[in-house]
Amino acid sequence: MATARRDQQVDLVCVAELLHEHLTAPLVAAAYEELRGSERERVWTLQQMVAFWTAVILRAPSSLSEALREAAGDRSSGYPPVETSNQAFFQRCSSLRWEFFAEVFRAFVQSVSSAEPARFAQHHQEIAKRFERILILDGSNLEPVARRLKITWGHTAAPVPGAMLACYDLMRGTLADLRYSHTLKKGELVSAREVLAQLPEGSLLLGDRLYGTPTFLSETTDLGLYGVFRRPRNGRVDVQEELGRFEYRGGTLEDTAIILGSRAKVPARLVRLSLGEKIYEFATNVLDPERLSATEIADLYDDRWEVERMFYDLKEVLNLNRFYCGNANAVAMQLYASAIVHTAMRVAQGRIAEEASIEPEAIS
């Protein structure tokens, strides 16, 4: 139960209802056919694997063996019934490509997004009307693997959990996309560029200093996207025109038209926020202050921390701070199952808030 007001409680069973509503057999089957190639169907179908892993996320068993025992012994346990051995499940975790789970996650997000209105960050409603979507990019390394698949016990190499790149929809309060890399050799910007290519034109992106380079801002512009990124401390800035100077939260906001970079030479705006000894600089390719003002940029960037809250929810609330298996496929299965459950939780949070006539952010 979660308390919306002191005198009002709401039942979170709607999270499970959302999963049943959108995580349907036809949706999973379509994702399977999209990627299957030469992949053969097994006793543990993709539908059953997705249902099992989402149940694991919701129930948080101490081990997968415990979950499998419950599934075999109690038809009302919430786990999908499959008449097969534990070894068959572990083998399936090892052999089923994690890209299938990624495809199911994206299909689930698309299904939910088409059915649910944007209920979060309503204080940015006016800004949202000017852009296709408002998205936050950020990456995070995954936590050390706690357990390993039985079939890998004879291997001496330490399992590497990898990293994730999140594309978070600020107005919907959910992930718009999630990219998994089983190796830390693949940089965050590489994954970010993969995400950029899939985003609708006119979207506005928020990001930290990693994304504030002239090259990345130029690539964002070329794809018909807009960005507001923290500017790195180094890099050339040629001032073109002073656009404005404003008082803001006891400090000063300066808005300047610039050329960013010595090679890329990207037309941009530099918004500098000075609060005492602290100075924050933002680079944006939204060149018209009428479309996105300096104060709106500062206000928007305040909410970039929402993606950090999302990482916290995945790792601490949904137990993604430890992995049941060291195999890369199984790690990704747990990751994407957590992302699916998180999406359902946030949609349920928005529905509950709407019924209670409060802001979704007011609910824990």
Side-chain angles (χ1 to χ4, degrees):
M1 305 290 282
T3 303
R5 294 173 180 154
R6 287 186 177 181
D7 60 343
Q8 182 178 2
Q9 290 188 323
V10 289
D11 197 331
L12 295 184
V13 71
C14 52
V15 174
E17 291 175 348
L18 273 162
L19 291 173
H20 286 295
E21 181 181 346
H22 292 281
L23 199 60
T24 61
L27 181 145
V28 177
Y32 184 71
E33 291 301 324
E34 181 74 20
L35 297 178
R36 69 176 295 180
S38 60
E39 169 76 24
R40 291 191 299 113
E41 192 63 281
R42 309 281 181 172
V43 174
W44 275 98
T45 65
L46 179 60
Q47 169 74 18
Q48 289 164 326
M49 291 292 287
V50 171
F52 182 84
W53 273 106
T54 51
V56 166
I57 301 305
L58 288 167
R59 297 174 67 85
S62 61
S63 68
L64 291 180
S65 295
E66 175 189 311
L68 289 165
R69 283 195 301 271
E70 288 190 27
D74 183 2
R75 296 300 183 185
S76 63
S77 64
Y79 295 105
V82 176
E83 299 296 336
T84 185
S85 66
N86 288 9
Q87 185 66 18
F89 169 78
F90 293 135
Q91 185 65 49
R92 191 61 168 149
C93 284
S94 179
S95 64
L96 181 65
R97 291 186 292 129
W98 61 263
E99 287 87 352
F100 285 108
F101 267 66
E103 187 67 21
V104 170
F105 161 72
R106 295 187 184 107
F108 177 77
V109 168
Q110 184 176 0
S111 175
V112 170
S113 297
S114 63
E116 299 289 333
R119 297 185 174 99
F120 286 76
Q122 292 304 295
H123 50 290
H124 294 311
Q125 223 174 26
E126 290 304 313
I127 301 175
K129 293 176 183 177
R130 304 171 216 153
F131 298 93
E132 185 66 27
R133 300 173 80 178
I134 302 177
L135 305 167
I136 306 172
L137 295 175
D138 201 11
S140 178
N141 291 344
L142 298 176
E143 304 298 328
V145 173
R147 292 179 172 80
R148 303 176 64 179
L149 287 176
K150 289 181 179 179
I151 60 176
T152 67
W153 282 359
H155 297 219
T156 57
V160 178
M164 56 180 162
L165 187 281
C167 181
Y168 178 83
D169 191 318
L170 181 62
M171 305 303 293
R172 292 189 174 277
T174 61
L175 282 159
D177 199 356
L178 183 66
R179 300 290 168 129
Y180 168 66
S181 174
H182 69 279
T183 172
L184 298 180
K185 293 180 181 179
K186 184 178 181 180
E188 184 177 324
L189 282 177
V190 175
S191 295
R193 289 184 173 100
E194 294 174 356
V195 171
L196 287 191
Q198 304 301 317
L199 296 180
E201 288 189 15
S203 296
L204 177 64
L205 311 178
L206 308 178
D208 59 19
R209 286 192 179 94
L210 180 67
Y211 303 96
T213 64
T215 300
F216 193 83
L217 190 62
S218 177
E219 293 171 355
T220 301
T221 303
D222 291 343
L223 289 169
L225 304 169
Y226 299 96
V228 172
F229 308 124
R230 283 285 296 274
R231 192 182 81 84
R233 293 185 178 90
N234 56 354
R236 181 170 176 173
V237 171
D238 291 328
V239 174
Q240 302 295 297
E241 180 185 0
E242 300 291 340
L243 299 176
R245 183 183 177 92
F246 320 93
E247 291 185 1
Y248 178 84
R249 298 184 186 175
T252 304
L253 266 176
E254 300 170 75
D255 193 358
T256 309
I258 63 169
I259 299 295
L260 187 63
S262 57
R263 293 184 180 180
K265 297 186 180 300
V266 182
R269 285 164 59 207
L270 177 66
V271 174
R272 179 182 288 113
L273 171 60
S274 302
L275 296 172
E277 296 181 356
K278 294 183 178 181
I279 297 178
Y280 305 88
E281 291 187 333
F282 310 102
T284 181
N285 60 346
V286 183
L287 303 181
D288 183 3
E290 292 294 323
R291 184 167 192 185
L292 190 65
S293 69
T295 55
E296 287 173 330
I297 286 173
D299 288 341
L300 266 178
Y301 203 82
D302 273 353
D303 281 347
R304 198 200 71 83
W305 71 272
E306 287 288 346
V307 73
E308 302 295 346
R309 173 182 173 176
M310 184 274 303
F311 285 139
Y312 177 87
D313 287 345
L314 287 179
K315 293 181 178 182
E316 300 299 329
V317 178
L318 298 178
N319 298 312
L320 207 60
N321 54 9
R322 69 182 182 94
F323 286 90
Y324 290 101
C325 305
N327 175 274
N329 285 336
V331 167
M333 289 175 189
Q334 185 177 341
L335 170 63
Y336 282 108
S338 297
I340 288 170
V341 172
H342 178 269
T343 300
M345 287 177 62
R346 293 290 274 177
V347 172
Q349 182 176 340
R351 286 183 178 181
I352 291 165
E354 187 173 70
E355 291 175 3
S357 300
I358 59 176
E359 296 297 324
E361 292 85 353
I363 299 177
S364 171

